[in-house]
Amino acid sequence: MRNRRAALAAIAGTASVALTMSACGGEKSTGSSKGGTIGIAMPTQASERWITDGKSVVKDLQANGYKTKLVYGENDPATQVSQIENLITQGVSALIIAAIDNKSLNKVLQQAADADIPVISYDRLILGTKNVTYYASFDNEQVGRLQARFIIDKLGLEHGKGPFNIELFAGSSDDNNTKYFFSGALHLLQPFLDSKQLVVQSGQTALNQVTTLRWDGATAQKRLNSILATSYKTKTVDAVLSPYDGISIGVLAALRSDDYGSISKPLPVITGQDAELASVKSIIAGQQAQTVYKDSRLLADVAANMVDDVLNKRKPQLNDTRTYDNGAKVVPAYLLQPISVDKTNYDSVLVAGGYYTDAELK
């Protein structure tokens, strides 16, 4: 393997961006340096979830004695690549990356490998490169199953009720998690689609028909507006499979613009993910019906411990060494379990668990 110092010098000589991050990248360098510096690349500050993740990862790494550099790519793959290049030239000891585009990092991760920098793929699996050391995430298929199970139970499908109309939404096509969320949900919903207890009036059931680029709520709102105008002139939507709270907000906006939310036209069952504050408040208010809670504090702890183990020549704790094939290798992983949250248990899960306070949910 190339000498680390020489590799860093070579990368510094060819980097196309300045060492100082732009303001929109939001680099924050903090902590003691006795354990080295860890680069953390998060997707965007537009999502409450990623802000929480960034803070949690920084906190855990600092508790382990590391200095940190946290950057946000603001959902621009090219910006994230440039940020990671900068982190490499600055000599970070390891990288924790939540990818914006899971196929755009191959070249820059080769630079990381040449500089002997281990990479932890955070939440979203990075594809097409052998230069991913470990993967820290949640059981992504289980997320979809929890969303589907909520719809099944709420509509009484296993008791023969129906038919009901449902529309399907999926996450961003460039996020590897999207296929796992969707396949997990369809695993449970497909029998009811086959029996016509669930009917997709738009006819849009294939993954490539229902993805939502960058998980954007406005994009989801626009798509549902179109579906309502063309497929629901004389029908109503009974359920919407939404994979993420930000998408759910867009879904709700489209439904309200079509007079849903009244006594004569109640809101459908709407799922979500990430237990973002606005959506939890929406659940309490009887609008969004469910979300999937993934405790980012636990995920941050897993990733921080992986880094500490790798840098200290220890094998980290793993519980999945077969599932996550990124096209170049099977990436060893540690997966956490998500929790379904609705109006009946938000207090016992989110408030009692210290994720939110009662005051925050008012």
Side-chain angles (χ1 to χ4, degrees), residues 167-244:
E167 290 299 326
L168 310 176
F169 283 76
S172 193
S173 57
D174 55 9
D175 184 340
N176 191 61
N177 286 352
T178 290
K179 67 181 181 181
Y180 289 102
F181 298 148
F182 193 68
S183 64
L186 266 290
H187 179 77
L188 296 185
L189 294 178
Q190 193 63 54
F192 301 104
L193 293 167
D194 293 341
S195 69
K196 307 301 183 185
Q197 272 183 271
L198 287 176
V199 180
V200 181
Q201 293 293 341
S202 69
Q204 298 174 17
T205 58
L207 180 57
N208 63 2
Q209 294 176 303
V210 303
T211 53
T212 310
L213 186 62
R214 302 286 184 265
W215 302 85
D216 182 57
T219 300
Q221 180 179 350
K222 182 178 179 181
R223 175 172 167 249
L224 186 54
N225 280 334
S226 176
I227 289 172
L228 293 172
T230 56
S231 302
Y232 288 89
K233 294 178 180 178
T234 61
K235 302 179 186 297
T236 56
V237 185
D238 300 299
V240 178
L241 174 70
S242 170
Y244 161 60

Side-chain angles (χ1 to χ4, degrees), residues 1-18:
M1 182 172 287
R2 288 172 52 185
N3 176 270
R4 180 183 172 86
R5 186 184 300 272
L8 291 174
I11 294 167
T14 58
S16 60
V17 291

Side-chain angles (χ1 to χ4, degrees), residues 138-150 177 179-185 187-188 272-273 290 292-294 324 335-340:
F138 286 82
D139 185 335
N140 297 312
E141 287 202 356
Q142 181 65 6
V143 170
R145 292 190 190 101
L146 290 174
Q147 292 164 344
R149 172 50 58 189
F150 187 85
N177 286 352
K179 67 181 181 181
Y180 289 102
F181 298 148
F182 193 68
S183 64
H187 179 77
L188 296 185
Q273 178 183 181
Q290 179 259 12
V292 176
Y293 171 52
K294 303 191 310 186
Y324 288 92
L335 306 179
L336 293 160
Q337 289 302 309
I339 301 171
S340 181

